[in-house]
């Protein structure tokens, strides 16, 4: 089309085209009817695909030297126009990681928890063992969710203080066997500020052992 513009500009300025000046008649739109099936431009055509019009050539113009070369087709896209395999947008590379989701963490079997008779210092706290038995399933879950037992049995010795408000304070693990450090940390957090009962003095130290056994 640039060549056509250059030639038309040369004619408007009075310059002579290389061979002959193109006639002014013969312009039709690309959508114009072709007259009942006959060739629309039997002598060839000068087309502008970008603007959608066609100029039919007159007899003797087929070999005119001022005619530009036929328009070349648009180059195909790099991927050949095929849709992406996942149905997404062309050029979309998909997820960056492309990794497989992590498998769900499976807990170990819940161990059986037995609350031993507690030991007191500086007084007494009634029914401590019974109150701890109520949270025995949660204690077992701490062990199961954090590595489980390393053998068929294990044990944990816990110490804490009970003041007037009747809650476990300063929970510490004095000794542990067959359980992970994460399980011990979970048990400490579980017992922290847990209601234990009213002590006979302020404060009362409590030491209690937990016996753990793997389920049969």
């Amino acid at each position: 089309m640039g060549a056509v513009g250059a030639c038309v500009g040369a004619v408007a300025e009075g310059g002579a085209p290389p061979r002959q000046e193109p006639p002014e008649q013969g312009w039709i739109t690309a959508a114009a009817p072709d007259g009942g099936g006959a060739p629309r431009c039997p002598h060839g055509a000068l087309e502008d695909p970008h603007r959608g019009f066609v100029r039919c050539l007159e007899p003797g113009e087929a070999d005119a030297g001022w005619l530009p070369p036929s328009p070349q087709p648009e180059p195909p896209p790099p991927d050949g126009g095929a849709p992406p395999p996942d149905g997404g947008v062309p050029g979309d590379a998909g997820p960056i990681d492309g990794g497989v989701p992590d498998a769900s963490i499976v807990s170990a079997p819940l161990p059986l928890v037995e609350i031993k008779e507690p030991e007191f210092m500086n007084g007494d706290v009634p029914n401590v063992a019974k109150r701890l038995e109520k949270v025995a399933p949660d204690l077992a879950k701490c062990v199961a969710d954090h590595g489980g037992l390393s053998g068929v049995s294990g044990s944990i010795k816990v110490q804490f203080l009970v003041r007037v408000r009747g809650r476990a304070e300063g929970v510490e693990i004095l000794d542990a066997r067959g359980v992970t450090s994460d399980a011990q940390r979970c048990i400490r957090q579980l017992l922290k500020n847990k209601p234990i009962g009213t002590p006979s003095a302020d404060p009362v130290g409590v030491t209690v052992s937990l016996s753990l056994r793997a389920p049969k």
Side-chain angles (χ1 to χ4, degrees), residues 111-167:
L112 303 176
V113 180
E114 180 183 359
I115 309 297
K116 299 293 186 179
E117 193 65 25
E119 300 177 0
F120 303 102
M121 181 181 298
N122 193 42
D124 185 18
V125 183
N127 302 322
V128 169
K130 292 182 179 180
R131 291 180 180 273
L132 291 178
E133 286 175 358
K134 293 181 179 181
V135 297
D138 295 329
L139 295 172
K141 194 171 187 303
C142 274
V143 176
D145 290 351
H146 296 86
L149 291 174
S150 59
V152 296
S153 63
S155 61
I156 300 176
K157 181 179 286 189
V158 185
Q159 185 179 73
F160 51 85
L161 294 176
V162 182
R163 298 186 181 273
V164 176
R165 68 191 192 107
R167 295 179 178 270

Side-chain angles (χ1 to χ4, degrees), residues 2-111:
V4 175
C7 292
V8 174
V11 173
E13 295 176 359
R19 294 189 183 180
Q20 66 181 82
E21 180 180 349
E24 297 298 333
Q25 68 273 18
W27 291 98
I28 63 174
T29 64
D34 56 6
R40 184 171 54 180
C41 298
H43 303 291
L46 180 62
E47 302 183 22
D48 185 351
H50 301 289
R51 297 185 180 179
F53 59 80
V54 179
R55 177 191 180 281
C56 292
L57 298 179
E58 299 293 332
E61 288 185 331
D63 297 327
W66 53 265
L67 292 176
S70 301
Q72 296 180 351
E74 294 291 334
D79 57 358
D86 58 354
V89 180
D92 185 4
I96 296 177
D97 52 5
V100 179
D102 295 338
S104 299
I105 299 176
V106 180
S107 298
L110 292 174

Side-chain angles (χ1 to χ4, degrees), residues 183-209:
Q184 298 175 41
R185 187 179 303 109
C186 178
I187 290 175
R188 288 183 60 192
Q189 292 296 324
L190 177 66
L191 296 179
K192 183 179 179 181
N193 292 323
K194 183 69 65 177
I196 296 297
T198 304
S200 60
D202 186 14
V204 172
V206 180
T207 302
V208 61
S209 295

